[in-house]
Amino acid sequence: MIDRWLPAAASGHASSLDAVLLSVHAHMLLIFVAWLALFIIALIKFRKGANPEPREHGIKGTIAAVAIGAVIVGDVIILATQALPAWAARNEPPPFDSARGRPSGAQPIEIHIAAEQFAWNIHYPGPDRVFARTSPALVSASNPVGIDRSDAAAADDIGLLNVLMLPLNRTAVIQLTSRDVIHSFTLNEMRVKQDATPGMTSRIWLTPIATGDWEIACSQLCGLGHYRMRGEYHVVDQGAWDQWLADQRSTLSPR
Ligand SMILES: [Cu+2]
């Protein structure tokens, strides 16, 4: 229902997040109508015509106390039965092979992303799954991530500027940080939004369930160039993913 007004829902957790959004709006509507009714009742009941003299002690009643008590109990129930379980499920680590014996095809891909004014630096470890050393001193136009090519693990590492590739139906684990100010890494169709904070690494994960070409946005006003802090991301099927990896590898030349 609510997805009519939202971008395409293209990740495994998108529909559950949309359901939360709908639920919150439904509850807010309910509260709005209840407060409106209370407001109208008060306007009529305490009109000047019916109450010519102010009362020294105001009004007394148990209904108000019961209503406030019910709200508190309701909040606790929602927190305990919905919010906390949902939070725990969302934070559960993705199914890594070694821990749960999944087939190797289901291995999540790991990506490091460093935000900066005003770009996204994206680092893939390559087939060896080991991230090479990076250094700010090595950052250049041809090496946006600052990969240290003298590192033994660097031979297959891929560093990209503002381009994120994701394979279909495979969990991607992203370690996110920032080089300068706070940014917010946003993939609307994946229902992903996470602050990138300098000096801190945030871990997020997602599983794309539809192919497509979309935009990476920064959702935190991060400076004068905030408006142009855009990247692109593509979800591709396995064949296109393998081809892309092969293409990247062929452009890597040892230095
Ligand atoms: Cu930004």
Side-chain angles (χ1 to χ4, degrees):
M1 179 182 166
I2 201 166
D3 50 326
R4 280 177 55 193
W5 296 285
L6 294 173
S11 71
H13 70 270
S15 60
S16 62
L17 204 140
D18 291 355
V20 170
L21 205 60
L22 183 63
S23 164
V24 167
H25 279 80
H27 282 94
M28 284 297 125
L29 184 67
L30 202 71
I31 291 169
F32 174 72
V33 170
W35 277 116
L36 199 65
L38 197 69
F39 182 59
I40 291 169
I41 289 169
L43 278 179
I44 295 169
K45 194 172 172 188
F46 301 111
R47 68 189 186 280
K48 193 180 175 189
N51 305 274
E53 294 295 322
R55 284 187 230 167
E56 194 180 338
H57 300 294
I59 55 155
K60 293 200 168 63
T62 49
I63 294 177
V66 170
I68 291 171
V71 167
I72 293 171
V73 171
D75 281 353
V76 170
I77 290 172
I78 291 172
L79 196 67
T81 63
Q82 293 188 33
L84 291 177
W87 180 249
R90 187 62 201 126
N91 280 298
E92 194 190 328
F96 284 105
D97 288 14
S98 50
R100 303 189 187 188
R102 306 256 169 155
S104 63
Q107 256 191 346
I109 58 159
E110 290 184 71
I111 307 165
H112 286 180
I113 299 181
E116 69 170 294
Q117 289 171 319
F118 298 97
W120 304 100
N121 302 286
I122 296 166
H123 185 182
Y124 290 87
D128 67 357
R129 303 175 66 84
V130 179
F131 286 92
R133 267 194 316 272
T134 60
S135 163
L138 296 169
V139 171
S140 67
S142 62
N143 187 5
V145 177
I147 296 170
D148 183 351
R149 292 290 173 192
S150 67
D151 186 343
D156 59 352
D157 282 35
I158 301 164
L160 297 169
L161 191 66
N162 294 329
V163 177
L164 175 66
M165 293 291 282
L166 297 169
L168 183 66
N169 291 329
R170 192 138 157 229
T171 300
V173 179
I174 297 172
Q175 311 249 36
L176 184 69
T177 190
S178 170
R179 290 181 184 166
D180 38 45
V181 300
I182 300 174
H183 302 271
S184 181
F185 177 72
T186 303
L187 309 175
N188 284 318
E189 296 74 15
M190 297 293 139
R191 302 293 188 270
V192 162
K193 186 169 298 199
Q194 171 65 51
D195 273 4
T197 313
M200 199 176 126
T201 300
S202 307
R203 183 166 158 280
I204 46 177
W205 59 275
L206 61 132
T207 310
I209 57 168
T211 57
D213 307 296
W214 295 293
E215 188 181 287
I216 308 172
C218 178
S219 301
Q220 186 69 259
L221 183 57
C222 57
L224 285 175
H226 168 65
Y227 71 94
R228 63 180 156 86
M229 188 163 170
R230 300 152 80 186
E232 54 188 85
Y233 77 100
H234 310 275
V235 177
V236 295
D237 59 26
Q238 190 62 44
W241 170 253
D242 292 338
Q243 183 60 49
W244 179 77
L245 275 182
D247 291 349
Q248 294 300 311
R249 235 164 280 156
S250 67
T251 63
L252 286 175
S253 52
R255 279 162 219 192

